[in-house]
Amino acid sequence: MNIKRSIVLRVRIAFIIMFVFALAIIYKIIEIKYIEGDKWVEMAESIGFRDKEVNAVRGNIYSDDGSLLATSLPFYRVAFDATVCDDEVFNYGVDSLSMMLAAHFGDRNKASYKRLIKQARAKGDRYIVLGKRYINYREKKELESWPIFRKGQMKGGVIFEKENRRYKPFRQLAARTVGFTNSEKKGVVGLEFSFNNNLAGQNGRAVFQKVGNGNLKQIYDGNEVKAIDGFDIQTTIDINLQDVAESSLRKHLQKHDANYGCVVVMEVATGEIKAIANLSKNSAGKYRERYNYAVASSVEPGSTFKIASAIALMEETGLELSDTIYTGKGEFKFYDRTMRDHKPGGYGTVTLKEAIEKSSNIAISRWVDQSFNTKPQRFMEYVRSFGLSEPLNFQMVGEGKPYFKDPNASDWYGTTLPWMSIGYELRMSPLHMLTFYNAIANEGKMVAPIIVKSIRKADDVIEHYDTRVIRDQISRKETLRKVRKALEGVVERGTAMNIKGTDYNIAGKTGTAQKVKNGRYTKSYYTSFAGYFPAKQPKYSCIVVIDSPKGYFQYGSDVAAPVFKEIADKIFSLDLNLHQPLPSKFAVEKGIFPVIQSGKYDDLNLICNKLGISNHLSEPAEWVKASIDGTSIKWNEKSQSEGLMPDLRGMTGRDALFLLENKGVRVEVSGKGRVAKQSQLPGSRLIRGSYVTLTLE
């Protein structure tokens, strides 16, 4: 009986406890729903909804002809929820999927990918990243057809996380100039940084709701702030000339095993930069764009500065190109320092013109010391009047500032002026030096270099940048005429004779500056060549810098000048406006057989024989030109020298095209009939990829 009562008592106690617990649950439900309902609703909304920034689409960067240099495209990170797909789909497709991932990304082999995916499934991982890089939209569409992935996100577990990233269609071309952005969408270097305020746009804000798999969906409740996309910028860069500059610079940097080099090509009249290349050697020995030496570096320019000294001398003293000075046997002592000329034994007595052409340190320094020794401030006034001592206020951030000693400062010595006159004890950027030479080519008008022409929103121009004049005239016209004559002489007879041309003339100056290490000048050199072309009617100016070349050739004439010539040759071949019309001496000889003028001998001989026209060939030849011999035709061989422009006049368009295209030349044809005019003179040097215009009549 006691046992029965004990059991009943325990059952009643358990029932009472369960009843009380049930009442507590009911009370809590009532409390949560009716008493604290608003509190929990607000908390649920705060967890399920999130106020988030909406990124604006960054603006595009264009070349001068509208080609894209940088744009924002959707890229995707590939992730995987290993718990979604059923066993049959997973087991059937995991081998193939692993193999395709390994082939596509190349960062793991098939076995490694399979192990990664299977371990994630065993652990119940809902998110693993596949591949170390983002993929583009085309790749995304391809991956969507792969095993398992083709089932989509809900049944296959594939996750494509979209992110707008910068894309450069021309890859490394002008990479440092265009610049790049970091993960926060802010510019780091180059145009991306300098024009970040225009390119970045304004981010918006919106409310997003959490949906399945942790993804967010935007809620359009009327309170969202729409993102304003960034503006586009159009640069002055010519893609073709940029390619020419970079390829030529890279080739010669490799040839001389140099530390770094840069090239800037500028349009004389406008100051528009058509190409800017900066290449330096990395730890693997490859040349890449890593630093904008052309704009940011400030170094001793060496002999290219001698032209500024020469202009100051002619303006101050009326010095003529024919005036002479004695330079001794190649050594001259200024106070406690000895200056030397490059030529052993010296140049003896030289004219000012010869001093520039031969780049005599002693001649220039002696003239400057004689004229400005007691008034160095006057020399510095000329430097300022040339626009050399002030920053250019270039459109890109990071411009190297010029440095010149002050004659009243404690670091001004008796030897400062002689050494400054030949480009030492001062610092300038290559772009600044080019701007000075561009002014000489531009009849004395110094214009600021420009690399961005306009800021646009679609077809609307928000802001346009016109050519800005720094100095209306850097010197008298007569002085400039003499200087330009001397600069032509540098190439015709002086230190840059090795780049003397035949189809057009170059004017410029070589520069070779010894580099300072631990306060002492070393046998390591900073070489350069600054100038313009064509010399008579300049359209382009250019500066080439190559730092620390190795080997036997270490001077500006041997290292930098050939790069200038190679770039100028290619630009000349590409720009048909630089070509002169054929002189009258090349006019086609009419004769009494005006139709039979020039072509392939076998074809012309066959036609003449069919028509019963007497024709003769003295020596075997493939291509011939007709001349009159009484009542018959005499065939004369047309020379087809390798690498030279053939004489195409009188040929049919078909024959001319055949000849030129076999030589790797691009041809533009206008008119009908036979070739009457050709844009390049017969016998001039042909450059593969250049353009030749043929006029048929």
Side-chain angles (χ1 to χ4, degrees):
M1 192 68 179
N2 290 337
I3 296 173
K4 184 178 180 180
R5 287 179 180 178
S6 176
I7 293 172
V8 171
L9 180 62
R10 291 176 184 176
V11 169
R12 287 175 178 174
I13 293 172
F15 177 78
I16 292 170
I17 292 172
M18 292 179 64
F19 180 73
V20 171
F21 185 71
L23 288 177
I25 291 174
I26 293 171
Y27 173 77
K28 197 63 179 177
I29 291 172
I30 294 171
E31 182 184 35
I32 291 172
K33 184 173 178 61
Y34 297 103
I35 300 175
E36 299 179 350
D38 293 341
K39 169 188 172 183
W40 292 109
V41 168
E42 184 180 346
M43 184 177 292
E45 288 181 350
S46 67
I47 295 173
F49 294 88
R50 182 180 300 174
D51 182 67
K52 186 181 176 185
E53 191 172 60
V54 179
N55 291 326
V57 177
R58 195 171 180 84
N60 298 327
I61 300 177
Y62 293 98
S63 68
D64 64 343
D65 67 351
S67 300
L68 269 174
L69 295 176
T71 188
S72 293
L73 294 178
F75 284 80
Y76 304 86
R77 180 179 290 282
V78 183
F80 185 59
D81 181 348
T83 66
V84 169
C85 59
D86 58 41
D87 290 340
E88 182 180 355
V89 171
F90 183 84
N91 293 331
Y92 181 79
V94 67
D95 277 332
S96 298
L97 178 63
S98 300
M99 180 184 67
M100 297 172 91
L101 286 169
H104 191 81
F105 289 106
D107 56 340
R108 295 171 178 263
N109 58 30
K110 174 186 173 181
S112 178
Y113 264 114
K114 185 176 180 180
R115 184 166 55 252
L116 172 69
I117 295 171
K118 295 191 77 171
Q119 286 176 353
R121 186 171 176 83
K123 293 178 181 178
D125 287 343
R126 300 186 62 86
Y127 183 91
I128 59 169
V129 174
L130 303 176
K132 290 185 177 180
R133 64 177 177 86
Y134 281 79
I135 63 172
N136 58 34
Y137 181 76
R138 179 188 59 78
E139 292 175 298
K140 174 179 176 287
K141 300 302 290 183
E142 179 186 344
L143 265 64
E144 286 175 343
S145 66
W146 288 4
I148 301 179
F149 287 1
R150 66 170 64 103
K151 296 293 183 179
Q153 182 172 341
M154 302 307 295
K155 294 184 178 181
V158 64
I159 303 169
F160 294 107
E161 296 180 333
K162 179 182 174 182
E163 179 178 330
N164 284 326
R165 296 168 67 90
R166 292 305 260 179
Y167 174 71
K168 298 176 183 177
F170 293 96
R171 302 299 176 96
Q172 290 301 311
L173 201 66
R176 185 71 185 191
T177 302
V178 172
F180 54 86
T181 55
N182 61 18
S183 58
E184 282 74 41
K185 303 292 189 277
K186 295 179 180 179
V188 177
V189 298
L191 294 171
E192 293 277 19
F193 177 63
S194 302
F195 287 83
N196 185 56
N197 290 338
N198 304 108
L199 291 165
Q202 297 180 19
N203 291 341
R205 298 202 73 84
V207 175
F208 289 80
Q209 182 182 13
K210 280 188 177 181
V211 294
N213 296 317
N215 294 320
L216 296 174
K217 180 179 74 174
Q218 185 174 343
I219 302 299
Y220 296 93
D221 59 359
N223 295 318
E224 63 271 6
V225 178
K226 188 176 181 180
I228 301 175
D229 295 342
F231 295 136
D232 302 328
I233 63 174
Q234 184 173 20
T235 72
T236 62
I237 297 294
D238 184 310
I239 285 298
N240 292 323
L241 303 195
Q242 180 70 31
D243 187 35
V244 163
E246 285 194 22
S247 61
S248 297
L249 179 62
R250 179 177 280 104
K251 182 176 77 173
H252 286 268
L253 286 172
Q254 292 170 341
K255 176 181 177 180
H256 297 286
D257 191 25
N259 288 351
Y260 72 83
C262 64
V263 170
V264 184
V265 178
M266 186 187 297
E267 199 170 67
V268 169
T270 64
E272 291 186 2
I273 293 177
K274 293 302 176 184
I276 178 169
N278 298 273
L279 297 172
S280 59
K281 186 165 56 175
N282 60 20
S283 57
K286 304 293 184 182
Y287 288 95
R288 296 288 185 268
E289 283 221 341
R290 300 187 299 168
Y291 184 78
N292 199 332
Y293 296 97
V295 176
S297 65
S298 189
V299 296
E300 291 180 321
S303 295
T304 51
F305 187 79
K306 290 175 182 174
I307 300 304
S309 299
I311 294 176
L313 285 167
M314 287 188 274
E315 291 285 283
E316 178 72 9
T317 67
L319 194 67
E320 296 289 341
L321 290 178
S322 57
D323 289 338
T324 62
I325 196 167
Y326 182 62
T327 64
K329 296 182 179 181
E331 293 185 0
F332 192 88
K333 197 161 188 177
F334 292 92
Y335 301 93
D336 60 341
R337 294 180 64 185
T338 300
M339 182 176 289
R340 294 176 175 82
D341 273 334
H342 171 63
K343 181 184 176 183
Y347 297 108
T349 300
V350 295
T351 63
L352 176 59
K353 186 168 178 288
E354 290 171 334
I356 295 173
E357 292 175 354
K358 301 176 186 298
S359 197
S360 171
N361 296 328
I362 296 173
I364 299 296
S365 295
R366 284 204 65 194
W367 261 312
V368 169
D369 191 55
Q370 289 174 3
S371 303
F372 297 100
N373 179 273
T374 59
K375 46 181 180 180
Q377 195 64 52
R378 181 68 173 165
F379 182 80
M380 292 308 303
E381 288 174 3
Y382 279 110
V383 170
R384 285 189 285 273
S385 72
F386 300 156
L388 297 177
S389 60
E390 304 165 2
L392 295 169
N393 295 320
F394 188 49
Q395 292 172 308
M396 291 176 66
V397 174
E399 174 191 346
K401 295 182 179 179
Y403 166 76
F404 289 85
K405 288 184 178 180
D406 186 339
N408 297 319
S410 58
D411 61 350
W412 184 279
Y413 304 104
T415 58
T416 297
L417 186 60
W419 261 259
M420 181 183 289
S421 69
I422 60 171
Y424 290 94
E425 299 194 30
L426 63 96
R427 290 193 292 274
M428 293 176 62
S429 70
L431 181 62
H432 209 143
M433 181 58 74
L434 175 62
T435 303
F436 173 66
Y437 275 80
N438 193 79
I440 296 172
N442 201 25
E443 301 293 342
K445 180 189 287 188
M446 178 178 279
V447 296
I450 180 174
I451 196 167
V452 173
K453 290 196 287 190
S454 62
I455 298 173
R456 297 173 174 269
K457 185 67 174 178
D459 293 330
D460 297 328
V461 177
I462 306 301
E463 188 171 359
H464 186 271
Y465 297 98
D466 294 315
T467 299
R468 178 170 59 89
V469 178
I470 300 175
R471 296 284 188 277
D472 289 320
Q473 200 67 36
I474 63 170
S475 71
R476 291 180 296 115
K477 295 282 188 181
E478 179 61 19
T479 299
L480 286 173
R481 185 189 65 79
K482 297 172 185 175
V483 168
R484 288 179 61 164
K485 184 177 180 181
L487 290 175
E488 290 182 50
V490 171
V491 179
E492 293 294 317
R493 296 170 296 276
T495 54
M497 280 183 61
N498 56 318
I499 66 167
K500 180 178 178 180
T502 54
D503 302 325
Y504 66 98
N505 293 329
I506 293 172
K509 181 72 184 72
T510 56
T512 306
Q514 285 184 280
K515 297 181 66 178
V516 176
K517 187 174 182 180
N518 298 325
R520 302 178 68 87
Y521 286 104
T522 66
K523 290 297 183 180
S524 182
Y525 299 98
Y526 174 90
T527 70
S528 61
F529 186 91
Y532 50 86
F533 62 95
K536 300 302 181 186
Q537 294 180 314
K539 183 174 181 180
Y540 298 102
S541 60
C542 177
I543 189 168
V544 176
V545 169
I546 293 184
D547 179 77
S548 301
K550 312 297 189 299
Y552 181 76
F553 298 107
Q554 293 188 328
Y555 293 93
S557 57
D558 302 314
V559 180
V563 184
F564 186 104
K565 179 65 162 63
E566 186 172 308
I567 292 171
D569 279 348
K570 291 179 180 178
I571 292 176
F572 182 81
S573 68
L574 291 170
D575 191 338
L576 299 180
N577 294 322
L578 296 178
H579 299 178
Q580 298 296 321
L582 287 172
S584 57
K585 69 176 183 178
F586 288 103
V588 177
E589 187 179 319
K590 296 292 184 181
I592 61 172
F593 303 105
V595 177
I596 306 173
Q597 295 175 358
S598 180
K600 196 171 174 60
Y601 171 72
D602 291 342
D603 296 340
L604 296 177
N605 176 249
L606 178 62
I607 292 172
C608 288
N609 291 338
K610 288 287 185 181
L611 296 175
I613 300 174
S614 176
N615 61 102
H616 309 283
L617 177 65
S618 56
E619 294 182 6
E622 183 179 8
W623 298 92
V624 293
K625 178 181 179 181
S627 63
I628 311 304
D629 186 12
T631 58
S632 65
I633 294 175
K634 181 181 179 182
W635 302 118
N636 301 302
E637 182 181 7
K638 273 204 168 188
S639 176
Q640 305 296 330
S641 299
E642 185 67 26
L644 299 181
M645 168 61 71
D647 185 356
L648 305 170
R649 289 157 301 119
M651 288 188 180
T652 63
R654 185 188 66 175
D655 284 346
L657 281 170
F658 175 81
L659 264 178
L660 291 182
E661 289 180 351
N662 278 331
K663 292 178 178 291
V665 177
R666 302 177 189 179
V667 185
E668 294 182 359
V669 180
S670 62
K672 295 181 179 179
R674 295 176 178 268
V675 178
K677 298 178 182 177
Q678 58 188 89
S679 61
Q680 290 191 32
L681 291 174
S684 60
R685 190 160 70 90
L686 271 181
I687 299 175
R688 293 187 69 85
S690 64
Y691 285 92
V692 175
T693 300
L694 302 180
T695 303
L696 308 185
E697 293 179 358

Coordinates of all heavy atoms in Angstrom, one line a residue, residues 479-504:
T479 N 67.8 84.4 -81.6 CA 68.5 83.4 -80.8 C 68.0 82.0 -81.0 O 68.8 81.1 -81.2 CB 68.4 83.8 -79.3 OG1 68.9 85.1 -79.1 CG2 69.1 82.8 -78.4
L480 N 66.7 81.9 -81.1 CA 66.1 80.5 -81.3 C 66.5 80.0 -82.7 O 66.8 78.8 -82.8 CB 64.6 80.6 -81.2 CG 64.0 80.7 -79.8 CD1 62.5 80.9 -79.9 CD2 64.4 79.5 -79.0
R481 N 66.6 80.8 -83.7 CA 67.0 80.4 -85.0 C 68.4 79.8 -85.0 O 68.7 78.8 -85.6 CB 66.9 81.6 -86.0 CG 67.2 81.2 -87.5 CD 67.3 82.4 -88.3 NE 68.5 83.2 -88.0 CZ 69.7 82.9 -88.3 NH1 70.0 81.8 -89.0 NH2 70.7 83.7 -87.9
K482 N 69.3 80.5 -84.3 CA 70.7 80.0 -84.1 C 70.7 78.7 -83.4 O 71.5 77.8 -83.7 CB 71.5 81.1 -83.5 CG 71.6 82.4 -84.3 CD 72.4 83.4 -83.4 CE 72.4 84.8 -84.2 NZ 72.9 85.8 -83.3
V483 N 70.0 78.6 -82.3 CA 70.0 77.4 -81.5 C 69.5 76.2 -82.2 O 70.0 75.1 -82.2 CB 69.2 77.6 -80.2 CG1 68.9 76.3 -79.4 CG2 69.9 78.6 -79.2
R484 N 68.4 76.4 -83.0 CA 67.9 75.3 -83.8 C 68.8 74.9 -84.8 O 69.0 73.7 -85.1 CB 66.5 75.8 -84.4 CG 65.4 75.9 -83.4 CD 64.1 76.3 -84.0 NE 63.6 75.4 -85.0 CZ 62.4 75.4 -85.4 NH1 61.5 76.3 -85.0 NH2 62.0 74.5 -86.4
K485 N 69.6 75.8 -85.4 CA 70.6 75.4 -86.4 C 71.7 74.6 -85.7 O 72.2 73.6 -86.3 CB 71.2 76.7 -87.0 CG 72.3 76.4 -88.1 CD 72.8 77.7 -88.7 CE 73.8 77.5 -89.8 NZ 74.3 78.7 -90.3
A486 N 72.1 75.0 -84.5 CA 73.1 74.2 -83.8 C 72.6 72.8 -83.4 O 73.3 71.8 -83.4 CB 73.5 75.0 -82.5
L487 N 71.3 72.7 -83.0 CA 70.8 71.4 -82.6 C 70.7 70.5 -83.8 O 70.8 69.3 -83.7 CB 69.4 71.6 -82.0 CG 69.3 72.2 -80.6 CD1 67.9 72.5 -80.2 CD2 70.0 71.3 -79.6
E488 N 70.4 71.0 -85.0 CA 70.5 70.2 -86.2 C 71.9 69.7 -86.5 O 72.1 68.6 -86.9 CB 70.0 71.0 -87.4 CG 68.5 71.3 -87.4 CD 68.0 72.0 -88.6 OE1 68.4 71.6 -89.7 OE2 67.3 73.1 -88.5
G489 N 72.9 70.6 -86.2 CA 74.3 70.3 -86.3 C 74.7 69.1 -85.4 O 75.6 68.4 -85.8
V490 N 74.1 69.0 -84.3 CA 74.4 67.9 -83.3 C 74.2 66.6 -84.0 O 75.0 65.6 -83.9 CB 73.6 68.0 -82.1 CG1 73.8 66.7 -81.2 CG2 74.0 69.2 -81.2
V491 N 73.1 66.5 -84.8 CA 72.8 65.2 -85.5 C 73.6 65.1 -86.8 O 74.0 64.0 -87.2 CB 71.3 65.1 -85.7 CG1 70.9 63.9 -86.5 CG2 70.5 65.2 -84.4
E492 N 73.8 66.2 -87.5 CA 74.4 66.2 -88.8 C 75.9 66.0 -88.7 O 76.5 65.2 -89.5 CB 74.2 67.5 -89.6 CG 72.7 67.8 -90.0 CD 72.3 66.8 -91.0 OE1 73.0 66.5 -91.9 OE2 71.2 66.3 -90.9
R493 N 76.6 66.6 -87.7 CA 78.0 66.5 -87.6 C 78.6 66.2 -86.2 O 79.7 66.0 -86.0 CB 78.6 67.9 -88.1 CG 78.4 68.3 -89.5 CD 78.8 69.7 -89.8 NE 78.0 70.6 -89.0 CZ 76.8 71.0 -89.4 NH1 76.3 70.6 -90.5 NH2 76.1 71.9 -88.6
G494 N 77.7 66.3 -85.2 CA 78.2 66.2 -83.8 C 78.0 64.9 -83.1 O 78.2 63.8 -83.8
T495 N 77.7 64.9 -81.8 CA 77.7 63.7 -81.0 C 76.6 62.7 -81.4 O 76.7 61.6 -81.0 CB 77.5 64.1 -79.5 OG1 76.3 64.9 -79.4 CG2 78.7 64.9 -79.0
A496 N 75.6 63.2 -82.2 CA 74.5 62.3 -82.5 C 74.5 62.0 -84.0 O 73.5 61.7 -84.6 CB 73.2 62.9 -82.1
M497 N 75.7 62.0 -84.6 CA 75.8 61.6 -86.1 C 75.2 60.2 -86.4 O 74.8 60.0 -87.5 CB 77.2 61.7 -86.5 CG 77.8 63.1 -86.8 SD 79.5 63.1 -87.4 CE 79.3 62.1 -88.9
N498 N 75.3 59.4 -85.4 CA 74.8 58.0 -85.6 C 73.3 57.9 -85.9 O 72.8 56.8 -86.3 CB 75.2 57.1 -84.5 CG 74.7 57.6 -83.1 OD1 74.7 58.8 -82.9 ND2 74.2 56.7 -82.3
I499 N 72.6 59.0 -85.7 CA 71.1 58.9 -85.9 C 70.7 59.8 -87.1 O 69.6 60.2 -87.2 CB 70.3 59.2 -84.7 CG1 70.5 60.7 -84.2 CG2 70.6 58.2 -83.5 CD1 69.5 61.1 -83.2
K500 N 71.7 60.3 -87.8 CA 71.4 61.1 -89.0 C 70.5 60.4 -89.9 O 70.7 59.2 -90.3 CB 72.7 61.5 -89.7 CG 72.6 62.4 -90.9 CD 73.9 62.8 -91.4 CE 73.8 63.7 -92.7 NZ 75.1 64.0 -93.3
G501 N 69.4 61.1 -90.4 CA 68.4 60.4 -91.2 C 68.6 60.8 -92.7 O 69.4 61.7 -93.1
T502 N 67.7 60.2 -93.5 CA 67.7 60.5 -95.0 C 66.4 61.1 -95.4 O 66.3 62.0 -96.2 CB 68.0 59.2 -95.8 OG1 67.1 58.2 -95.4 CG2 69.4 58.8 -95.5
D503 N 65.3 60.6 -94.8 CA 63.9 61.0 -95.2 C 63.5 62.3 -94.5 O 62.6 63.0 -95.0 CB 62.9 59.9 -95.0 CG 63.3 58.6 -95.7 OD1 63.9 58.7 -96.8 OD2 63.1 57.5 -95.1
Y504 N 64.0 62.5 -93.4 CA 63.7 63.7 -92.6 C 64.8 64.0 -91.6 O 65.7 63.2 -91.4 CB 62.4 63.5 -91.8 CG 62.5 62.5 -90.7 CD1 62.7 62.8 -89.4 CD2 62.5 61.1 -91.0 CE1 62.9 61.8 -88.4 CE2 62.6 60.1 -90.1 CZ 62.8 60.5 -88.8 OH 63.0 59.6 -87.8

